[in-house]
Amino acid sequence: MTPIAVSSPISCTSAVLSAIDADLLVVPWFEGEGPGAVPELDRSTSGEVARALASKEFAARPYDLFITSVTDRGWRPRRVALIGAGRPAAFGSDLARKVAAAVGLNARQRWIERVAFVVRPDAAGATPLNELAQAVAEGLTLSEFDAGTYKTDDPPPAKAPAWTVAVSAVTDDGFGRVNDAVARGRLLGECSNLARELANEPGNTLTPREFARRSEAMAIEGGISVEILDEEQIARLGMGLLLGVARGSSEPPRVMVFRHNPPGAPAGPVLGLVGKGITFDTGGISIKAAEGMEKMKDDMAGGAAVACAMRAIGLLKAPIRVVGVVPATENMPGSRALKPGDVLKSASGKTVEVINTDAEGRLVLGDALWYARQRGATHLIDIATLTGACVVALGKITSGIFGTPDAWVEHVRRVADRAGDRVWPLPLFEEYRDQLKSDIADLMNTGGRPASSITAAMFLKEFTGGLPWAHLDIAGTAWAEEAKPYLPKGPSGVGVRALAELAFTADAWPRS
Ligand code: BES
Ligand code: MN
Ligand code: ZN
C-alpha cells in the first residue's frame, strides 16, 4: 500500500507485552474474565490484576478503567491499564472504537506521553482483526480533537500521546494487514477531526466563502480537484432555491464541487456526495427562538462531512469516480430575505412555494442534488442537519436514513454501521408526498408537523431524478450536548468515515 500523508503515524508492533515501548500499556478486558486471560499482566504487576478483579474494583464494564504500576523490572511498559470491554458477545469494531477513544481521552488528561493499545486476537470474535485494529486507530485519533480553539487563558491542552497499536501472535501477512488497517484508521480519524474543527467554527469566522476556502485547501491536499462556484456562476446555473436562501445574507453563497477521478477508474458508477452547508441558520424571516440558536453554527456539518470524506477518498485512493457538491450559505433575515409565500424556481425547473424560511436545508440541497446529477453522479447520498423532528424520533445517538431503492439504503446502512456512524431507516411511502402539495407551485417546502423528517426527505427525493439515493439526517448526531466517555461535548464528525468507506464498496452496489 502507498504511504499516506498523515501528521504523525500510529506505530504498530507485534512484540510481546513485556517488550512494548510505552508509558502506558492498555489491554481491553471482558466481563467475566479472570486474571488468567492475560496471565503475564498479573505476574508483572505482582498480582494487582487478580486483586482488582477479586475485589470488584475493576468489573470490565465498558469504559471501566484500572491503572496500576508494573513491578517487574524486566518489563518496558511502566504502567498497565485494563479497559472494560463489556461482554465478549457485544464486542466488535463499534465498541473497540469507542473504548479506544475513551482510553485516549483519559491518557491525555493524565499527560501520558506514549500509549500502546493491545488488540487481542483472541477477542476479535467474528470481527476480522484488521477491522478491529482500524477501529482502534480511529478511536485513538478521535480522542485528539480539542474544541477549545479560541481559549486564551486556560493552560494549553496536553499534546496527543504517541500511539502504538500492538497485536501479538499474528502471521507476517496478518501483521501487514493490521499495519495498513491502522494507517487507514489514522487517516479516517484525522479527516473526522477536520470535519469537527469546521463544524465547531463559529458563524462569524466560517462564512460561506471561508468554508469554501478551507474545504478547498483540505481536499486539494488529498489530490481532489475542486471548483468553487461564486454567486454569478450559481445564478447562471439557475439555482434559484440556493439563491433564495442566500438573499437575506450580505455574505455571498458558494457551491463547492469536488472531483475524484482516479486514473483507470471505470466511467461508472459515480458516487455523488451532497452535504448541507448552512454556515449559520437563524431560520430567516421564520426566525428561530433565541434559546439554543448558537448551536446553528453547526448547520454545515453535512457539508463538512462531504469535504472531509472527499479528502479521505483522495488520500486513500478510492478505485471509483466520486463527485461532491456542497452548497454553502447563511440563512438570515433581512430586508431582501426570502418571505413565507415566496415562490422560487429550482435549477431542475420545479417551482417551490416557501411556507417556512427555516426549512432552508431542503432548498439548497434540492439544487445541489440536481447539480450532482449534472456532474455525472449515478448513485446519490446526501447528508444534512435537516430536521429537529429527526432528533425527536431517533435521539442523539442514531442518524436517520431515508431513500430508494431499499437495496441501496440497506447497503449504505451497513457500511455506515461498520464505520461507527449508526443510522436507522424511516419510510418514504408515496402517500406522504400529498403533504407537500402547493396551490400555487409544484411543491411546498414544508409538509406540516406530522412526519416532518419524512416529508423533508420526500422533498429532496423530487430532485434525485430517480437515481439510487440515500439521505442521512444528522440533526441529532452532529453535535454532542453531553459528554460521553468516548465523545466530549461538541462536534462529532459524523458521516465522514461512512461516506469515505462507501467509495470502496462499489462492487456491492445495486445498479440502476
Ligand atoms: N437546521 C435545522 C434543523 C435542526 C434542528 C438541526 C435542530 C439540528 C437541531 C433546519 O434547517 C430546520 O430549521 N428545520 C426545521 C424545519 C421546519 C421548519 C419544517 C425544523 O426541524 O424545525
Ligand atoms: Mn432551518
Ligand atoms: Zn438548517
Side-chain angles (χ1 to χ4, degrees), residues 75-298:
W75 273 50
R76 294 178 82 173
R78 309 216 334 269
R79 282 187 290 173
V80 297
L82 305 189
I83 174 81
R87 286 174 296 107
F91 192 73
S93 53
D94 189 52
L95 197 52
R97 186 182 295 104
K98 288 178 175 155
V99 156
V103 162
L105 289 166
N106 217 284
R108 280 187 55 200
Q109 270 164 18
R110 294 167 201 265
W111 290 76
I112 296 171
E113 286 176 11
R114 299 171 309 158
V115 175
F117 192 102
V118 178
V119 176
R120 286 171 53 186
D122 63 313
T127 315
L129 193 60
N130 52 326
E131 243 177 68
L132 219 51
Q134 179 181 330
V136 166
E138 288 171 5
L140 294 175
T141 305
L142 290 169
S143 78
E144 293 183 0
F145 177 73
D146 179 40
T149 321
Y150 292 97
K151 287 182 186 289
T152 62
D153 51 4
D154 284 15
K159 181 160 130 269
W163 311 109
T164 299
V165 169
V167 276
S168 53
V170 283
T171 59
D172 285 355
D173 262 16
F175 185 65
R177 277 195 299 276
V178 164
N179 241 304
D180 289 350
V182 165
R184 187 183 181 89
R186 177 66 164 166
L187 190 134
L188 288 167
E190 289 190 334
C191 290
S192 303
N193 286 345
L194 288 171
R196 294 164 87 182
E197 254 171 53
L198 288 171
N200 196 41
E201 205 59 42
N204 63 331
T205 59
L206 202 80
T207 60
R209 280 178 293 180
E210 180 64 9
F211 183 22
R213 194 187 66 73
R214 293 199 202 180
S215 300
E216 176 176 29
M218 282 177 357
I220 284 177
E221 276 176 13
I224 298 293
S225 58
V226 184
E227 286 166 67
I228 307 293
L229 310 184
D230 65 17
E231 60 273 37
E232 281 165 23
Q233 291 163 296
I234 294 168
R236 251 179 268 132
L237 287 165
M239 295 189 177
L241 302 185
L242 171 58
L243 288 175
V245 174
R247 281 184 65 86
S249 173
S250 54
E251 290 289 339
R254 291 292 181 262
V255 174
M256 309 169 212
V257 186
F258 305 97
R259 294 213 67 114
H260 173 66
N261 282 335
V270 180
L271 179 61
L273 303 177
V274 175
K276 174 176 174 181
I278 301 295
T279 59
F280 196 86
D281 181 13
T282 66
I285 295 298
S286 315
I287 199 160
K288 289 180 182 294
E291 192 177 322
M293 200 205 272
E294 73 283 357
K295 281 181 207 116
M296 284 299 125
K297 70 176 185 178
D298 84 336

Side-chain angles (χ1 to χ4, degrees), residues 23-103:
D23 302 310
L24 185 67
L25 182 71
V26 183
V27 184
W29 209 266
F30 294 97
E31 284 174 43
E33 282 188 324
V38 187
E40 61 268 46
L41 280 186
D42 192 46
R43 284 197 299 270
S44 65
T45 60
S46 309
E48 275 300 301
V49 170
R51 191 200 53 73
L53 289 170
S55 69
K56 304 248 166 33
E57 177 184 347
F58 177 73
R61 278 180 302 260
Y63 317 114
D64 282 357
L65 191 66
F66 172 72
I67 301 187
T68 189
S69 294
V70 173
T71 50
D72 186 332
R73 291 270 156 224
W75 273 50
R76 294 178 82 173
R78 309 216 334 269
R79 282 187 290 173
V80 297
L82 305 189
I83 174 81
R87 286 174 296 107
F91 192 73
S93 53
D94 189 52
L95 197 52
R97 186 182 295 104
K98 288 178 175 155
V99 156
V103 162

Side-chain angles (χ1 to χ4, degrees), residues 276 278 281 283 288 296 298-299 331 356-362 385-389 391 445-448 452 473-476:
K276 174 176 174 181
I278 301 295
D281 181 13
K288 289 180 182 294
M296 284 299 125
D298 84 336
D299 212 17
N331 185 24
N356 189 318
T357 66
D358 198 8
E360 84 297 340
R362 65 199 75 181
T385 45
L386 202 63
T387 64
V391 194
N445 79 329
T446 61
S452 68
D473 193 331
I474 57 167

Side-chain angles (χ1 to χ4, degrees), residues 407-493:
W408 175 237
V409 175
E410 177 56 15
H411 175 75
V412 176
R413 191 192 68 75
R414 277 173 206 247
V415 172
D417 200 53
R418 230 185 303 137
D421 290 326
R422 230 166 350 162
V423 301
W424 203 255
L426 287 167
L428 290 184
F429 301 127
E430 231 6 80
E431 288 89 332
Y432 289 114
R433 172 69 175 75
D434 292 348
Q435 286 174 241
L436 296 175
K437 275 188 185 152
S438 162
D439 292 332
I440 189 173
D442 296 330
L443 284 165
M444 299 195 299
N445 79 329
T446 61
R449 275 173 68 82
S452 68
S453 297
I454 293 176
T455 52
M458 289 301 278
F459 181 94
L460 298 179
K461 185 172 177 230
E462 296 287 317
F463 299 90
T464 59
L467 292 181
W469 154 73
H471 154 60
L472 307 180
D473 193 331
I474 57 167
T477 49
W479 194 271
E481 233 92 63
E482 278 167 46
K484 298 260 168 56
Y486 52 87
L487 181 69
K489 261 169 84 166
S492 66

